[in-house]
Amino acid sequence: MRVLIVEDSPRLQRTLASALKQSSYAVDACGDGEEALWLAGSHAYDVIVLDIMLPKRDGLSVLAELRKRGQAVHVLLLTARDTVADRVQGLRAGADDYLIKPFALEELLARVAVLCRRAYGHKESRLQIADLEIDTAARLVTRQGRPIELTAREYLLLEYLAHRQGHTVSRSEIEEHIYDGQVEPMSNVVDSAVCNLRKKIGSADDPPLIHTRRGLGYVLEAAATP
């Protein structure tokens, strides 16, 4: 899952980015409202963590512009304002959630996880595909009860495919959702990542779960459809 952090405090920005990356998110970050709008218009984010008090353009203005553009990306507002009126204003502007500073990192991570699940229509933190189970809260993957060790990037890929299970996902969509601005995907990086993931989640005796749709992309499902 790919997250954009919009926070003008360099220290807090670094802290949030580090925590999200350690939790297997692809992360971009910026410190003002204008750059936030440019990034949001250039990339497909699952969640935007948006501070209200920003230079150049404040968070509520950024949020209003996103909704005016028709962008339904889930937005978690950050603010030091803790009155009911302030919270109501943010929610009415189109925010999906609201977090008051100071906050615990664990709470922010939990709220981002909920918004990511909501973005794909899931309420539970467990995703099941045949005998493969993904615990998105603990970032654990098992098949037939057997734990599977994945790199952060492999986990991101698997979770994204699982959220889209049954739907063909193009290479460009995968690049947008699992690679951040610090990484320039090479032409075959997605194919290579899918190949490695296939090997890890299934042995020769296991029914395949990741299927190639030639010229279209990949689909994660229990059985290939004709």
Side-chain angles (χ1 to χ4, degrees), residues 2 11 30 38 95 182 186 188 192 220:
R2 190 169 182 175
R11 182 177 180 181
C30 66
W38 182 84
Q182 310 259 323
M186 298 174 291
N188 67 337
S192 178
L220 180 69

Side-chain angles (χ1 to χ4, degrees), residues 20-41:
L20 286 164
K21 287 178 180 179
Q22 288 177 18
S23 296
S24 298
Y25 292 96
V27 180
D28 294 324
C30 66
D32 68 74
E34 289 184 2
E35 187 176 1
L37 284 173
W38 182 84
L39 285 168

Side-chain angles (χ1 to χ4, degrees), residues 161 165-169 209-213 217-221:
L161 291 174
Q165 63 179 288
H167 298 275
T168 300
V169 183
L209 296 177
I210 301 176
H211 310 279
T212 302
R213 296 288 182 263
Y218 302 97
V219 59
L220 180 69
E221 59 185 359

